[in-house]
Amino acid sequence: MSRLEGKIALVTGASSGIGRAIALELARSGAAAVVVADLSDGPREGGRSTTALIAESSDAEALFVHCDVSDSAQVTAAVGAAESLGGLDVLVNNAGIVGPGSRLTEIDDDAIDAVLRVNICGTLYGCRAAARVMTPRGSGSIVNVSSVVALGGSSRTSVYAASKGAVAAASYALSAELGPRGIRVNAVHPGMIQTAMTTQDQQLAAGTVGETLSVRVPLRRTGTPDDVAKAVAFLAGDDSGYVTGTSAVVDGGWSRAL
Ligand SMILES: NC(=O)c1ccc[n+]([C@@H]2O[C@H](COP(=O)([O-])OP(=O)(O)OC[C@H]3O[C@@H](n4cnc5c(N)ncnc54)[C@H](O)[C@@H]3O)[C@@H](O)[C@H]2O)c1
């Protein structure tokens, strides 16, 4: 029996990329229902929506909820949608934006605010809304998507790195705060994963980063959304029942080889 059997999960930013892979992995691992919360139901890569793919590949109920995670009311409504299906067991705060790949001296206030609002506030709003409904039930699992940039320096990523460092730090603090209520909180640090986010990267598109990267990654390849999804599914489900306040680095060893 799967360790996600019967659980109701909510994944933010699940219309494409890593979030989509997580939603599908949770569904295939036995979740009873998966709420796909995103700005749009249409995947940026084109093709079928995440809810359609869940219906094709599993028995899980799939529900799309329009949600901008930088708006706390919309996040609360998305958690409410999961509750209406029977109660939220798993929240994955995955939605995120990378912002401008520029030096800090060239980034204006609005661009900084946008990244912090989505990546930090969005994660905190999600954790807060989930904790409020999980607390009376005395159980729950939250997984927050950080990044390897939170673990080591990289030029032109200061705002994004700050936001992802905050995501990890909040996860550790919340594990202490919510553990006594039966709620686990963990994080994942993906490395360079092939999604719309990375293919939009100018240097990656030009091939310069991609070529160097495969040499610098000990496992000699960039990651796939499924690589991250499998780690998230472990942290989300009961197989990791005594794991909280930690993070999984899913980067092919990249951060150890810098
Ligand atoms: N791709 C990588 O290499 C990589 C590495 C480390 C961490 N991450 C993190 O993984 C997560 C997913 O990244 P991805 O590569 O799949 O990106 P992506 O751009 O392919 O997908 C992000 C999804 O989030 C949604 N989204 C964006 N802003 C939102 C908002 N305000 N509210 C709700 N949904 C919103 C988008 O619509 C999209 O569906 C992000 O948090 C990202 O920072 C990605």
Side-chain angles (χ1 to χ4, degrees):
M1 181 168 152
S2 160
R3 302 295 275 169
L4 279 152
E5 197 79 33
K7 295 195 185 297
I8 297 172
L10 166 62
V11 185
T12 68
S15 287
S16 66
I18 293 170
R20 162 184 274 203
I22 292 168
L24 285 166
E25 184 66 24
L26 298 182
R28 286 191 297 255
S29 299
V34 180
V35 177
V36 172
D38 205 303
L39 293 172
S40 144
D41 198 12
R44 287 164 62 179
E45 302 93 335
R48 309 294 302 276
S49 68
T50 303
T51 47
L53 290 171
I54 290 172
E56 286 168 16
S57 62
S58 76
D59 294 329
E61 186 174 347
L63 175 68
F64 174 77
V65 175
H66 174 87
C67 175
D68 179 346
V69 298
S70 67
D71 180 330
S72 68
Q74 292 187 37
V75 174
T76 301
V79 168
E83 279 287 283
S84 69
L85 297 175
L88 182 66
D89 298 296
V90 171
L91 168 68
V92 182
N93 284 307
N94 164 80
I97 56 174
V98 72
S102 310
R103 295 181 179 87
L104 183 61
T105 46
E106 296 152 8
I107 302 175
D108 64 24
D109 292 0
D110 288 346
I112 292 175
D113 289 351
V115 173
L116 302 188
R117 281 206 66 76
V118 174
N119 296 1
I120 301 180
C121 296
T123 299
L124 290 171
Y125 294 153
C127 290
R128 182 177 63 182
R132 285 175 175 162
V133 300
M134 289 172 173
T135 296
R137 305 173 71 207
S139 68
S141 178
I142 298 172
V143 183
N144 295 322
V145 178
S146 176
S147 166
V148 285
V149 302
L151 305 174
S154 177
S155 181
R156 299 171 189 257
T157 63
S158 59
V159 179
Y160 180 66
S163 73
K164 291 301 186 176
V167 167
S171 305
Y172 305 147
L174 284 168
S175 70
E177 188 170 311
L178 300 178
R181 306 185 203 175
I183 303 166
R184 299 185 297 110
V185 187
N186 291 290
V188 290
H189 298 280
M192 185 61 78
I193 310 298
Q194 299 152 24
T195 68
M197 179 180 279
T198 46
T199 52
Q200 278 179 355
D201 184 295
Q202 296 298 311
Q203 289 175 291
L204 192 69
T208 51
V209 171
E211 283 163 22
T212 352
L213 199 64
S214 53
V215 176
R216 286 167 55 193
V217 173
L219 292 183
R220 294 291 185 267
R221 66 172 176 88
T222 52
T224 66
D226 279 343
D227 288 325
V228 182
K230 288 183 189 309
V232 170
F234 170 71
L235 291 171
D238 294 341
D239 278 339
S240 60
Y242 198 54
V243 179
T244 193
T246 190
S247 53
V249 182
V250 187
D251 70 344
W254 184 28
S255 55
R256 295 292 185 211
L258 292 175

